[in-house]
Amino acid sequence: MNIGHIPAKTARLAPQREALIDIPNNRRMTYGELDERVRRLANGLLEELRLDKGDRVAILSKNCIEYMEIYYACARCGLIVQPLNWRLGSEELLRILGDGDPSVVVVADEYTPQQPELQASLPAAHWLQFGLDSDQSYEALLGRGSAREPAVSNSVGGDDPVLILYTGGTTGESKGALHTHNSLYMGMLNQTVAERILPTDVYMLTGQMFHIPVALAMNYQAHGCPLVLINFEAELALQVIEQERVSAFLGITTMLNWMMAVDNFEQYDLSSLRNIQYGGGPMPRSVVSAALESFPCTIIQGYGQTEGMT
């Protein structure tokens, strides 16, 4: 199993089906478009930047289409994604960059002011930027990459490492947890059963893509579902559920409380919801009862951690 091949199946069967709906950046992308960009990016990283299997690619960004492209492109060609928590200060980011020693760092335009300080610690790495206020180097590399399937993709998968996620550091310094294609895939199988995933689902990613919920989102895409990306705000989440007919999402206790506390909550059309998974902390019985009364769907509890998604 190569996690990077996830968009390829739907790209072949239904290339015009929507794959990504990027609410913050007002962009939409089909599976056909996504898969082509994944191939181009993978080839650009391998051929132009001369990366080798096992090299790390770090990314500093909030949720966006480019994030998912990087995940799939690196997975497809044997590279390891090292997502960075944008909430961290420079000192902690520098430590994590030193720990992972990435060969490439991709930075969204809103974080380019931090780039000089971070780049000084990794002078040998390639630095790419994306976004309207960037130097467009990410898009330029992707545009120069070949659209053919990367030659190495069929020899990547299984126990090959694919992702380094950093823990919250509640009992010490944040530590990198290494995931393989197999470890993510087995977690996806468990989640498919637990969430009763359907090809007709529309999944909303409320968590940030530098943490394990991104694997839940990939799992829905493995079933050909559209993935809606937001940076969570309670009112925005309700608006997007109504607008995009979202059927499933993962919400921690605070998120659900904030959503239910939005003015005129009852006026939002949430009838498309089929299932909500909650986790990330204790869920008092009163909140569970309120959620069951407020949301027109089933609610299931999930327990996960940086080292594992089930």
Side-chain angles (χ1 to χ4, degrees):
M1 174 62 184
N2 182 327
I3 297 298
H5 286 148
I6 283 175
K9 179 183 74 173
T10 305
R12 289 193 299 270
L13 297 176
Q16 296 307 311
R17 183 179 297 173
E18 270 194 318
L20 295 168
I21 302 164
D22 184 342
I23 298 297
N25 298 291
N26 194 27
R27 294 178 62 198
R28 307 177 87 93
M29 184 174 287
T30 67
Y31 272 96
E33 293 167 334
L34 172 61
D35 194 57
E36 179 179 340
R37 287 175 63 85
V38 165
R39 296 194 305 271
R40 288 186 181 277
L41 178 58
N43 284 317
L45 292 169
L46 292 177
E47 296 174 0
E48 185 165 334
L49 301 189
R50 303 294 183 183
L51 268 59
D52 294 317
K53 185 177 180 180
D55 284 344
R56 274 75 64 204
V57 176
I59 175 170
L60 181 61
S61 174
K62 292 181 180 177
N63 291 354
C64 60
I65 282 176
E66 288 85 356
Y67 223 130
M68 195 58 77
E69 292 172 348
I70 292 166
Y71 268 114
Y72 287 137
C74 290
R76 191 170 291 195
C77 65
L79 304 175
I80 303 171
V81 185
Q82 185 188 2
L84 302 172
N85 183 344
W86 50 264
R87 296 189 177 101
L88 297 177
S90 294
E91 181 178 347
E92 185 68 359
L93 286 173
L94 286 167
R95 192 191 68 78
I96 289 174
L97 285 170
D99 180 69
D101 191 25
S103 299
V104 176
V105 184
V106 186
V107 182
D109 53 5
E110 64 182 307
Y111 299 108
T112 53
Q114 293 176 253
Q115 181 173 326
E117 180 182 5
L118 300 176
Q119 190 168 355
S121 70
L122 288 170
H126 301 278
W127 289 73
L128 302 174
Q129 298 179 7
F130 67 86
L132 294 177
D133 297 323
S134 74
D135 63 11
Q136 301 291 317
S137 48
Y138 170 88
E139 200 64 36
L141 176 72
L142 190 151
R144 293 191 298 269
S146 167
R148 71 176 184 277
E149 183 65 27
V152 301
S153 71
N154 288 329
S155 62
V156 172
D159 291 329
D160 289 330
V162 67
L163 175 62
I164 305 175
L165 294 175
Y166 282 80
T167 62
T170 51
T171 57
E173 288 188 339
S174 181
K175 303 171 184 66
L178 188 64
H179 284 270
T180 67
H181 292 262
N182 275 344
S183 70
L184 292 180
Y185 178 63
M186 296 310 296
M188 289 178 180
L189 286 181
N190 287 334
Q191 288 295 324
T192 296
V193 175
E195 298 185 58
R196 310 180 311 281
I197 294 176
L198 302 170
T200 52
D201 276 326
V202 177
Y203 188 73
M204 180 173 69
L205 179 59
T206 56
Q208 285 295 313
M209 297 171 79
F210 57 71
H211 201 29
I212 197 62
V214 72
L216 306 183
M218 289 183 186
N219 191 29
Y220 276 84
Q221 290 212 297
H223 295 266
C225 304
L227 173 59
V228 183
L229 305 176
I230 67 169
N231 294 305
F232 182 81
E233 294 176 9
E235 186 173 4
L236 172 66
L238 295 174
Q239 292 169 351
V240 170
I241 292 170
E242 179 177 328
Q243 171 188 315
E244 301 297 339
R245 307 304 294 160
V246 169
S247 62
F249 69 92
L250 167 68
I252 62 173
T253 305
T254 342
M255 288 178 177
L256 297 180
N257 274 326
W258 285 342
M259 291 168 73
M260 290 186 290
V262 168
D263 289 341
N264 300 315
F265 170 86
E266 66 283 351
Q267 294 184 14
Y268 289 93
D269 181 2
L270 308 180
S271 60
S272 60
L273 284 174
R274 184 184 59 78
N275 184 59
I276 297 172
Q277 183 178 180
Y278 70 87
M283 188 74 149
R285 181 173 180 175
S286 59
V287 179
V288 173
S289 297
L292 285 169
E293 291 177 6
S294 301
F295 293 99
C297 61
T298 58
I299 297 177
I300 64 170
Q301 183 183 53
Y303 179 83
Q305 58 193 67
T306 309
E307 297 86 352
M309 58 181 286
T310 55

PDB file of all heavy atoms in Angstrom, residues 20-34:
ATOM      1  N   LEU A  20     -10.940  18.404  -3.409  1.00  0.00           N
ATOM      2  CA  LEU A  20     -10.587  19.338  -2.357  1.00  0.00           C
ATOM      3  C   LEU A  20     -11.374  20.633  -2.486  1.00  0.00           C
ATOM      4  O   LEU A  20     -11.479  21.204  -3.583  1.00  0.00           O
ATOM      5  CB  LEU A  20      -9.085  19.646  -2.408  1.00  0.00           C
ATOM      6  CG  LEU A  20      -8.143  18.472  -2.124  1.00  0.00           C
ATOM      7  CD1 LEU A  20      -6.708  18.831  -2.500  1.00  0.00           C
ATOM      8  CD2 LEU A  20      -8.227  18.060  -0.663  1.00  0.00           C
ATOM      9  N   ILE A  21     -11.925  21.070  -1.372  1.00  0.00           N
ATOM     10  CA  ILE A  21     -12.647  22.339  -1.313  1.00  0.00           C
ATOM     11  C   ILE A  21     -11.954  23.170  -0.240  1.00  0.00           C
ATOM     12  O   ILE A  21     -12.109  22.920   0.955  1.00  0.00           O
ATOM     13  CB  ILE A  21     -14.136  22.128  -0.988  1.00  0.00           C
ATOM     14  CG1 ILE A  21     -14.776  21.206  -2.036  1.00  0.00           C
ATOM     15  CG2 ILE A  21     -14.871  23.464  -0.897  1.00  0.00           C
ATOM     16  CD1 ILE A  21     -16.115  20.628  -1.620  1.00  0.00           C
ATOM     17  N   ASP A  22     -11.135  24.109  -0.670  1.00  0.00           N
ATOM     18  CA  ASP A  22     -10.291  24.915   0.207  1.00  0.00           C
ATOM     19  C   ASP A  22     -11.038  26.204   0.542  1.00  0.00           C
ATOM     20  O   ASP A  22     -10.987  27.175  -0.197  1.00  0.00           O
ATOM     21  CB  ASP A  22      -8.976  25.204  -0.518  1.00  0.00           C
ATOM     22  CG  ASP A  22      -7.965  25.963   0.325  1.00  0.00           C
ATOM     23  OD1 ASP A  22      -8.370  26.570   1.331  1.00  0.00           O
ATOM     24  OD2 ASP A  22      -6.776  25.963  -0.037  1.00  0.00           O
ATOM     25  N   ILE A  23     -11.738  26.198   1.672  1.00  0.00           N
ATOM     26  CA  ILE A  23     -12.567  27.341   2.052  1.00  0.00           C
ATOM     27  C   ILE A  23     -11.734  28.600   2.325  1.00  0.00           C
ATOM     28  O   ILE A  23     -12.070  29.682   1.813  1.00  0.00           O
ATOM     29  CB  ILE A  23     -13.450  26.994   3.268  1.00  0.00           C
ATOM     30  CG1 ILE A  23     -14.406  25.836   2.920  1.00  0.00           C
ATOM     31  CG2 ILE A  23     -14.227  28.220   3.749  1.00  0.00           C
ATOM     32  CD1 ILE A  23     -15.404  26.135   1.822  1.00  0.00           C
ATOM     33  N   PRO A  24     -10.631  28.538   3.086  1.00  0.00           N
ATOM     34  CA  PRO A  24      -9.884  29.766   3.373  1.00  0.00           C
ATOM     35  C   PRO A  24      -9.347  30.463   2.132  1.00  0.00           C
ATOM     36  O   PRO A  24      -9.243  31.698   2.105  1.00  0.00           O
ATOM     37  CB  PRO A  24      -8.737  29.275   4.266  1.00  0.00           C
ATOM     38  CG  PRO A  24      -9.224  28.014   4.873  1.00  0.00           C
ATOM     39  CD  PRO A  24     -10.088  27.383   3.825  1.00  0.00           C
ATOM     40  N   ASN A  25      -9.007  29.692   1.115  1.00  0.00           N
ATOM     41  CA  ASN A  25      -8.405  30.274  -0.091  1.00  0.00           C
ATOM     42  C   ASN A  25      -9.358  30.294  -1.281  1.00  0.00           C
ATOM     43  O   ASN A  25      -8.942  30.611  -2.400  1.00  0.00           O
ATOM     44  CB  ASN A  25      -7.130  29.511  -0.446  1.00  0.00           C
ATOM     45  CG  ASN A  25      -6.098  29.610   0.659  1.00  0.00           C
ATOM     46  OD1 ASN A  25      -5.547  30.666   0.907  1.00  0.00           O
ATOM     47  ND2 ASN A  25      -5.848  28.500   1.353  1.00  0.00           N
ATOM     48  N   ASN A  26     -10.625  29.904  -1.047  1.00  0.00           N
ATOM     49  CA  ASN A  26     -11.656  29.953  -2.087  1.00  0.00           C
ATOM     50  C   ASN A  26     -11.215  29.213  -3.354  1.00  0.00           C
ATOM     51  O   ASN A  26     -11.303  29.729  -4.467  1.00  0.00           O
ATOM     52  CB  ASN A  26     -12.009  31.409  -2.421  1.00  0.00           C
ATOM     53  CG  ASN A  26     -13.290  31.512  -3.237  1.00  0.00           C
ATOM     54  OD1 ASN A  26     -14.163  30.660  -3.156  1.00  0.00           O
ATOM     55  ND2 ASN A  26     -13.396  32.550  -4.043  1.00  0.00           N
ATOM     56  N   ARG A  27     -10.741  27.980  -3.172  1.00  0.00           N
ATOM     57  CA  ARG A  27     -10.284  27.164  -4.293  1.00  0.00           C
ATOM     58  C   ARG A  27     -10.968  25.810  -4.245  1.00  0.00           C
ATOM     59  O   ARG A  27     -11.293  25.294  -3.174  1.00  0.00           O
ATOM     60  CB  ARG A  27      -8.773  26.949  -4.256  1.00  0.00           C
ATOM     61  CG  ARG A  27      -7.938  28.183  -4.465  1.00  0.00           C
ATOM     62  CD  ARG A  27      -6.460  27.828  -4.357  1.00  0.00           C
ATOM     63  NE  ARG A  27      -6.035  26.874  -5.386  1.00  0.00           N
ATOM     64  CZ  ARG A  27      -4.918  26.152  -5.301  1.00  0.00           C
ATOM     65  NH1 ARG A  27      -4.152  26.239  -4.228  1.00  0.00           N
ATOM     66  NH2 ARG A  27      -4.594  25.324  -6.272  1.00  0.00           N
ATOM     67  N   ARG A  28     -11.175  25.231  -5.408  1.00  0.00           N
ATOM     68  CA  ARG A  28     -11.737  23.890  -5.526  1.00  0.00           C
ATOM     69  C   ARG A  28     -10.913  23.120  -6.537  1.00  0.00           C
ATOM     70  O   ARG A  28     -10.416  23.688  -7.518  1.00  0.00           O
ATOM     71  CB  ARG A  28     -13.214  23.951  -5.956  1.00  0.00           C
ATOM     72  CG  ARG A  28     -14.064  24.859  -5.077  1.00  0.00           C
ATOM     73  CD  ARG A  28     -15.497  24.954  -5.591  1.00  0.00           C
ATOM     74  NE  ARG A  28     -16.328  23.897  -5.077  1.00  0.00           N
ATOM     75  CZ  ARG A  28     -17.077  23.985  -3.974  1.00  0.00           C
ATOM     76  NH1 ARG A  28     -17.084  25.107  -3.261  1.00  0.00           N
ATOM     77  NH2 ARG A  28     -17.809  22.979  -3.570  1.00  0.00           N
ATOM     78  N   MET A  29     -10.771  21.809  -6.318  1.00  0.00           N
ATOM     79  CA  MET A  29      -9.926  21.005  -7.199  1.00  0.00           C
ATOM     80  C   MET A  29     -10.537  19.626  -7.379  1.00  0.00           C
ATOM     81  O   MET A  29     -11.014  19.018  -6.424  1.00  0.00           O
ATOM     82  CB  MET A  29      -8.515  20.903  -6.601  1.00  0.00           C
ATOM     83  CG  MET A  29      -7.509  20.177  -7.481  1.00  0.00           C
ATOM     84  SD  MET A  29      -5.828  20.257  -6.781  1.00  0.00           S
ATOM     85  CE  MET A  29      -5.430  21.978  -7.105  1.00  0.00           C
ATOM     86  N   THR A  30     -10.514  19.126  -8.602  1.00  0.00           N
ATOM     87  CA  THR A  30     -11.019  17.786  -8.891  1.00  0.00           C
ATOM     88  C   THR A  30      -9.929  16.745  -8.634  1.00  0.00           C
ATOM     89  O   THR A  30      -8.746  17.068  -8.496  1.00  0.00           O
ATOM     90  CB  THR A  30     -11.466  17.670 -10.355  1.00  0.00           C
ATOM     91  OG1 THR A  30     -10.301  17.789 -11.204  1.00  0.00           O
ATOM     92  CG2 THR A  30     -12.479  18.747 -10.710  1.00  0.00           C
ATOM     93  N   TYR A  31     -10.358  15.478  -8.612  1.00  0.00           N
ATOM     94  CA  TYR A  31      -9.384  14.404  -8.427  1.00  0.00           C
ATOM     95  C   TYR A  31      -8.407  14.336  -9.602  1.00  0.00           C
ATOM     96  O   TYR A  31      -7.219  14.039  -9.414  1.00  0.00           O
ATOM     97  CB  TYR A  31     -10.093  13.067  -8.240  1.00  0.00           C
ATOM     98  CG  TYR A  31     -10.440  12.789  -6.800  1.00  0.00           C
ATOM     99  CD1 TYR A  31     -11.709  13.088  -6.295  1.00  0.00           C
ATOM    100  CD2 TYR A  31      -9.504  12.246  -5.927  1.00  0.00           C
ATOM    101  CE1 TYR A  31     -12.035  12.840  -4.966  1.00  0.00           C
ATOM    102  CE2 TYR A  31      -9.812  11.996  -4.603  1.00  0.00           C
ATOM    103  CZ  TYR A  31     -11.078  12.305  -4.125  1.00  0.00           C
ATOM    104  OH  TYR A  31     -11.373  12.067  -2.802  1.00  0.00           O
ATOM    105  N   GLY A  32      -8.887  14.598 -10.809  1.00  0.00           N
ATOM    106  CA  GLY A  32      -7.986  14.597 -11.956  1.00  0.00           C
ATOM    107  C   GLY A  32      -6.918  15.665 -11.832  1.00  0.00           C
ATOM    108  O   GLY A  32      -5.734  15.412 -12.096  1.00  0.00           O
ATOM    109  N   GLU A  33      -7.319  16.854 -11.437  1.00  0.00           N
ATOM    110  CA  GLU A  33      -6.353  17.943 -11.251  1.00  0.00           C
ATOM    111  C   GLU A  33      -5.389  17.643 -10.117  1.00  0.00           C
ATOM    112  O   GLU A  33      -4.178  17.874 -10.235  1.00  0.00           O
ATOM    113  CB  GLU A  33      -7.104  19.248 -10.974  1.00  0.00           C
ATOM    114  CG  GLU A  33      -7.911  19.761 -12.154  1.00  0.00           C
ATOM    115  CD  GLU A  33      -8.880  20.865 -11.767  1.00  0.00           C
ATOM    116  OE1 GLU A  33      -9.305  20.912 -10.581  1.00  0.00           O
ATOM    117  OE2 GLU A  33      -9.233  21.672 -12.647  1.00  0.00           O
ATOM    118  N   LEU A  34      -5.923  17.135  -9.010  1.00  0.00           N
ATOM    119  CA  LEU A  34      -5.077  16.830  -7.860  1.00  0.00           C
ATOM    120  C   LEU A  34      -4.027  15.790  -8.215  1.00  0.00           C
ATOM    121  O   LEU A  34      -2.837  15.952  -7.902  1.00  0.00           O
ATOM    122  CB  LEU A  34      -5.937  16.330  -6.694  1.00  0.00           C
ATOM    123  CG  LEU A  34      -5.185  15.793  -5.465  1.00  0.00           C
ATOM    124  CD1 LEU A  34      -4.310  16.872  -4.846  1.00  0.00           C
ATOM    125  CD2 LEU A  34      -6.173  15.233  -4.439  1.00  0.00           C
TER     126      LEU A  34
END
